Amino acid sequence: MQDSDEIQRIRDATDIFLRLRDNPEDPKLLRERESFLARGEEERLAYHKMLQVWSVTGTAKRAKRPGVASLALAGAVLVAGYVTFQANRHILIADVYTQYDTQALHLDSGDYLALDARSAFVDKSDAHERHVHLLQGAAFFDVETESRPFVVTAGDVRVQVTGTAFEVTGDENSGMVSVAEGAVNVVIENASWQLRPGDRLVWSDDVGARLTKFDASQTASWRNDVLISDDMTFEQIVDVLDRRMPGQLIVTDATLADTKIVGSFDLSDPQQSLDLVVELMGAKVISMPYVVSVIAKR
């Protein structure tokens, strides 16, 4: 990932470009651009990267507040390359990788697995344990009871069961475990939780872990092309929609991201559901098709 100095250079380049776009003959802005480019090769490279993204996306909506459109375009430069790299890396090492559709299958152990859109896993099972490593996205498991324990890992999180039905959503930085049937043991570093039907554990590097309750019958409702939320945050809902759309969705406002929403959303039409939840929250989308869409407060 880019370091903080590179991020700042790209943001500066983006800010200069957007102001020049509106006032292309402004001598003060032209001198500011020349001064920026004269700083060195890294500044010229940052400006070139920004122009490359602009040439692909073509347009961007002007935000009411200065800096939001700048953040959107800078975010496109920073995110597009990193997300593409991560996805390609996962495709290369995954046993199964989905694009915009879900997939149901049986593992070699006979256990059932449903994989959500844009998700990937590696089967690491051996003679001692059944082991699925979730690289990204979400998966629902219906596990048979046998002598070998069934283990799911996602980042630093380890989920272990014997026979049960549950969902795991996760990557290297955050995730969620929701239990439909049976008992699930979740270990994150030195802490552990014993989950029962209707328990949901949500974790992230930023805020740690929290245990909530939900309707167990709604576990992995995405299998039926519907997302039912009774305790999900706006950002969690956006993440599910993001897996069904090209590019990358980013929520820039922390308060907006953490707002809980109750509702049902049609996953067969993710764009319509995104428009609905954005309107519900009084937010707006700054779009750069196929690269990144930034969701911010109005």
Side-chain angles (χ1 to χ4, degrees):
M1 196 73 173
Q2 289 89 344
D3 61 32
S4 59
D5 289 339
E6 183 177 2
I7 292 171
Q8 188 59 54
R9 282 192 294 270
I10 291 176
R11 286 179 175 172
D12 290 344
T14 304
D15 180 64
I16 293 169
F17 172 81
L18 288 176
R19 286 187 288 132
L20 267 173
R21 185 193 62 166
D22 293 340
N23 301 282
E25 303 301 325
D26 187 316
K28 182 179 179 180
L29 290 176
L30 289 171
R31 288 194 299 270
E32 185 177 345
R33 181 183 64 182
E34 292 309 309
S35 175
F36 176 79
L37 296 175
R39 290 183 199 171
E41 183 63 29
E42 291 178 330
E43 282 72 17
R44 290 189 289 273
L45 180 60
Y47 201 83
H48 178 68
K49 283 183 179 179
M50 184 276 306
L51 289 176
Q52 283 183 314
V53 170
W54 182 262
S55 68
V56 172
T57 60
T59 59
K61 297 179 182 177
R62 167 61 69 180
K64 293 180 180 178
R65 288 183 298 149
V68 175
S70 174
L71 174 62
L73 188 52
V77 179
L78 296 169
V79 171
Y82 181 69
V83 170
T84 301
F85 166 76
Q86 287 290 80
N88 289 341
R89 179 173 68 89
H90 289 161
I91 290 173
L92 290 173
I93 65 176
D95 288 328
V96 179
Y97 180 90
T98 55
Q99 287 290 339
Y100 302 126
D101 296 316
T102 62
Q103 181 177 346
L105 59 118
H106 284 86
L107 302 170
D108 290 342
S109 61
D111 299 296
Y112 173 83
L113 183 155
L115 199 62
D116 195 12
R118 227 188 302 184
S119 301
F121 76 88
V122 176
D123 189 346
K124 296 185 173 183
S125 300
D126 57 26
H128 305 289
E129 67 178 17
R130 297 165 289 170
H131 183 180
V132 170
H133 180 59
L134 186 65
L135 296 165
Q136 67 180 54
F140 173 81
F141 302 88
D142 193 348
V143 179
E144 300 293 333
T145 300
E146 66 151 87
S147 58
R148 294 180 301 165
F150 190 95
V151 173
V152 179
T153 51
D156 294 329
V157 176
R158 180 181 175 91
V159 180
Q160 182 167 326
V161 303
T162 50
T164 185
F166 64 101
E167 175 190 11
V168 178
T169 300
D171 54 28
E172 296 173 354
N173 307 113
S174 63
M176 179 173 66
V177 178
S178 307
V179 182
E181 301 174 7
V184 172
N185 184 56
V186 182
V187 177
I188 304 176
E189 294 181 344
N190 296 322
S192 65
W193 294 261
Q194 189 75 21
L195 307 187
R196 299 289 180 180
D199 287 340
R200 172 177 285 157
L201 185 70
V202 182
W203 73 88
S204 70
D205 289 348
D206 295 334
V207 298
R210 63 183 179 91
L211 185 62
T212 64
K213 296 289 185 179
F214 78 110
D215 183 345
S217 66
Q218 298 173 4
T219 306
S221 59
W222 45 261
R223 291 174 292 160
N224 299 311
D225 274 340
V226 63
L227 175 63
I228 301 173
S229 170
D230 54 7
D231 189 42
M232 295 179 70
T233 66
F234 176 76
E235 187 169 48
Q236 288 169 341
I237 291 172
V238 168
D239 285 345
V240 175
L241 297 174
D242 181 41
R243 291 200 287 272
R244 288 158 172 78
M245 302 174 69
Q248 179 82 0
L249 298 174
I250 299 175
V251 183
T252 60
D253 184 270
T255 302
L256 181 66
D258 293 337
T259 301
K260 292 183 179 180
I261 295 177
V262 176
S264 177
F265 303 93
D266 181 7
L267 296 181
S268 66
D269 191 343
Q271 182 62 59
Q272 183 181 61
S273 293
L274 177 65
D275 294 341
L276 174 64
V277 72
V278 166
E279 181 65 27
L280 176 68
M281 296 300 297
K284 63 182 176 183
V285 178
I286 305 169
S287 295
M288 298 183 182
Y290 304 104
V291 181
V292 62
S293 295
V294 175
I295 304 173
K297 283 187 173 179
R298 283 179 180 165

